[in-house]
Amino acid sequence: DVKVTQSSRYLVKRTGEKVFLECVQDMDHENMFWYRQDPGLGLRLIYFSYDVKMKEKGDIPEGYSVSREKKERFSLILESASTNQTSMYLCASMRTSGYYEQYFGPGTRLTVT
Amino acid sequence: AQSVSQHNHHVILSEAASLELGCNYSYGGTVNLFWYVQYPGQHLQLLLKYFSGDPLVKGIKGFEAEFIKSKFSFNLRKPSVQWSDTAEYFCAVNEGGGADGLTFGKGTHLIIQP
């Protein structure tokens, strides 16, 4: 079974802090994704990565950056956290060949106060 | 840009009732279609998927969905729901042949009353 893990289930940070959310997958998938999930809005794509050191903007990249130094790890960075970034953050991974099924991690619920 | 519409944001049914959740997408080309489910306190998991072939696809837990290309629809169905089907359901799409992220609908919160 594919396993996608996220470093924290719950996180509380202050406005202006730099925040790192970590995601690790164990199936050697080439593609990794960060989404945020908000009630009534569904999931929205923030950034994704096809390969190590590669990144692509999703639908809502403003206020975020990402880092992918190793194939199995994809980090989401909030340079200066703001209250409107309070949300559930979901990481996913997917292999390139075959069917494009994404596997999701358990999520990190971030609260910015 | 693609968009996905889920018609019902909240649905309440009694056990044994039949379920149909609507999903429409906007992209006119080849698409891959998915239904994901999120049970309370659990992570998102795949219910079923359509890539090509038979437009009627069967997933886990007795769910099925039908792809109707002419209607840009991918509705989720279950003939008889159970209390354990209480969850949030998301329809998602990406362009066929692409490895980009998914575009999700806003979700349907399904509550099954015993």
Side-chain angles (χ1 to χ4, degrees):
Chain A
D1 277 351
V2 176
K3 194 166 184 183
V4 180
T5 57
Q6 296 183 229
S7 51
S8 306
R9 289 302 302 271
Y10 300 95
L11 209 53
V12 179
K13 295 292 181 180
R14 293 192 180 275
T15 301
E17 278 193 81
K18 190 169 186 175
V19 181
F20 292 87
L21 303 183
E22 305 285 340
C23 175
V24 177
Q25 50 96 2
D26 67 356
M27 283 300 292
D28 202 36
H29 285 174
E30 296 86 357
N31 306 284
M32 296 187 74
F33 306 84
W34 276 106
Y35 297 87
R36 63 178 282 176
Q37 181 180 7
D38 299 290
L41 295 179
L43 281 78
R44 292 175 292 167
L45 181 65
I46 305 171
Y47 266 98
F48 60 104
S49 169
Y50 292 116
D51 201 350
V52 174
K53 297 193 184 297
M54 303 298 288
K55 61 183 179 182
E56 296 285 342
K57 292 180 180 179
D59 298 320
I60 52 163
E62 296 79 18
Y64 304 94
S65 62
V66 291
S67 172
R68 192 158 179 212
E69 297 296 319
K70 293 185 178 181
K71 190 174 186 179
E72 68 271 18
R73 188 178 298 269
F74 192 35
S75 302
L76 180 69
I77 303 157
L78 288 65
E79 295 289 342
S80 177
S82 64
T83 55
N84 63 11
Q85 293 178 310
T86 292
S87 187
M88 173 71 87
Y89 290 89
L90 298 178
C91 175
S93 73
M94 180 180 78
R95 62 179 180 178
T96 297
S97 60
Y99 296 125
Y100 302 109
E101 176 182 341
Q102 294 190 15
Y103 297 85
F104 285 83
T108 295
R109 185 167 294 283
L110 172 67
T111 301
V112 182
T113 62
Chain B
Q2 302 167 18
S3 66
V4 178
S5 297
Q6 291 184 239
H7 312 307
N8 312 99
H9 297 301
H10 297 277
V11 174
I12 301 174
L13 295 173
S14 298
E15 278 192 306
S18 64
L19 170 72
E20 181 160 2
L21 300 182
C23 173
N24 287 90
Y25 62 93
S26 64
Y27 184 68
T30 303
V31 292
N32 303 316
L33 297 156
F34 307 83
W35 275 97
Y36 281 86
V37 62
Q38 190 172 38
Y39 297 104
Q42 297 187 26
H43 61 89
L44 214 60
Q45 54 186 288
L46 185 69
L47 262 184
L48 48 78
K49 59 194 175 191
Y50 172 81
F51 291 91
S52 63
D54 189 343
L56 185 62
V57 293
K58 296 192 184 297
I60 61 172
K61 305 189 180 187
F63 286 91
E64 64 178 33
E66 185 175 12
F67 170 52
I68 303 179
K69 190 174 181 180
S70 61
K71 295 184 178 180
F72 298 90
S73 70
F74 190 56
N75 292 353
L76 181 70
R77 299 195 293 248
K78 186 171 184 178
S80 177
V81 295
Q82 301 172 307
W83 177 79
S84 57
D85 293 325
T86 294
E88 189 97 21
Y89 292 80
F90 295 95
C91 181
V93 61
N94 72 359
E95 296 176 30
D100 296 346
L102 295 168
T103 300
F104 283 84
K106 294 183 178 180
T108 296
H109 187 202
L110 175 66
I111 296 173
I112 307 300
Q113 296 176 331

